[in-house]
Amino acid sequence: MGFLFKNFEEILASVAISITIMMVIINVILRYGFGFVVPWSEELAVICFIWSVYFGISSCYKHKLHMGVDVIIALLPEKAKIPFNLVISFFLLAINLILAYLSYDYMMLSNKVTPVMGMSYFTINGVLFLCFSLMSIHTVNFIFKDIKQLRQPKQSAQTKQSSDASSSQSDI
């Protein structure tokens, strides 16, 4: 169960892109081999492609694989890098929460259906809200890790001082 939870975005993106590829291949074979197509396969392929893109975006965000310009971070001293990352993470959290909220509004306004399948756009647009919410959760995780890393040197310095103090007392 932990594997499924840990790799949620990757699994759903893989399933969605696999369905997209299968639908396109089947439709090409049917079109050129037998002269007909499955009418709903194009809609399903597009919907699955949209879902694979957004789950892929969330997965890349989770693993920090998006491109970034770290010129400013490279110029900062070591002590300032983690606090600067925290500021950036809070900014990204605000952006992701705003986008999740706007996606929710957009999803709730989705009252149309697809022409062939009759699928509600609520389901199609729901991926926006889901993925921006997941990205917000990942950002909170980044913030906790940065705070833990920010506290860690202080703790190790304090333990070193206390061990030095205890060893100097034992020497007396």
Side-chain angles (χ1 to χ4, degrees), residues 153-166:
K154 290 179 183 177
Q155 290 173 350
S156 63
Q158 289 173 353
T159 56
K160 183 178 178 185
Q161 288 175 352
S162 65
S163 67
D164 289 344
S166 65

Side-chain angles (χ1 to χ4, degrees), residues 80-93 139-140 142-148 150:
K81 287 183 181 182
I82 295 174
F84 190 77
N85 279 335
L86 274 171
V87 170
I88 291 171
S89 292
F90 279 111
F91 178 72
L92 289 172
L93 178 62
T139 306
V140 170
F142 298 155
I143 290 169
F144 282 133
K145 285 181 180 178
D146 283 344
I147 289 172
K148 185 178 178 182
L150 195 60

Side-chain angles (χ1 to χ4, degrees), residues 24-37 41-42:
V24 170
I25 290 172
I26 289 169
N27 233 9
V28 167
I29 291 170
L30 289 175
R31 180 179 299 128
Y32 292 108
F34 301 102
F36 73 98
V37 295
S41 66
E42 286 183 45

Side-chain angles (χ1 to χ4, degrees), residues 5-157:
F5 185 72
K6 187 177 179 182
N7 299 305
F8 178 72
E9 293 102 332
E10 293 86 352
I11 292 169
L12 286 180
S14 299
V15 168
I17 199 69
S18 298
I19 292 171
T20 302
I21 292 168
M22 284 187 338
M23 287 290 97
V24 170
I25 290 172
I26 289 169
N27 233 9
V28 167
I29 291 170
L30 289 175
R31 180 179 299 128
Y32 292 108
F34 301 102
F36 73 98
V37 295
V38 179
W40 49 265
S41 66
E42 286 183 45
E43 281 184 10
L44 183 60
V46 169
I47 292 166
C48 286
F49 183 72
I50 292 167
W51 276 67
S52 70
V53 167
Y54 280 100
F55 278 115
I57 289 169
S58 181
S59 173
C60 287
Y61 187 85
K62 174 173 63 174
H63 296 291
K64 295 186 177 186
L65 295 175
H66 287 293
M67 289 179 50
V69 181
D70 59 351
V71 173
I72 296 173
I73 293 176
L75 295 174
L76 293 173
E78 285 299 317
K79 284 185 173 183
K81 287 183 181 182
I82 295 174
F84 190 77
N85 279 335
L86 274 171
V87 170
I88 291 171
S89 292
F90 279 111
F91 178 72
L92 289 172
L93 178 62
I95 289 174
N96 287 325
L97 287 173
I98 289 169
L99 287 172
Y101 173 76
L102 293 173
S103 300
Y104 178 78
D105 278 351
Y106 183 63
M107 179 181 69
M108 296 312 276
L109 293 173
S110 303
N111 55 6
K112 295 189 309 183
V113 294
T114 59
V116 179
M117 292 174 51
M119 181 183 227
S120 171
Y121 275 90
F122 179 86
T123 308
I124 299 166
N125 297 333
V127 72
L128 296 168
F129 173 69
L130 182 60
C131 288
F132 284 120
S133 298
L134 286 170
M135 289 168 60
S136 298
I137 292 168
H138 297 317
T139 306
V140 170
N141 189 27
F142 298 155
I143 290 169
F144 282 133
K145 285 181 180 178
D146 283 344
I147 289 172
K148 185 178 178 182
Q149 197 175 21
L150 195 60
R151 289 181 178 176
Q152 197 169 12
K154 290 179 183 177
Q155 290 173 350
S156 63

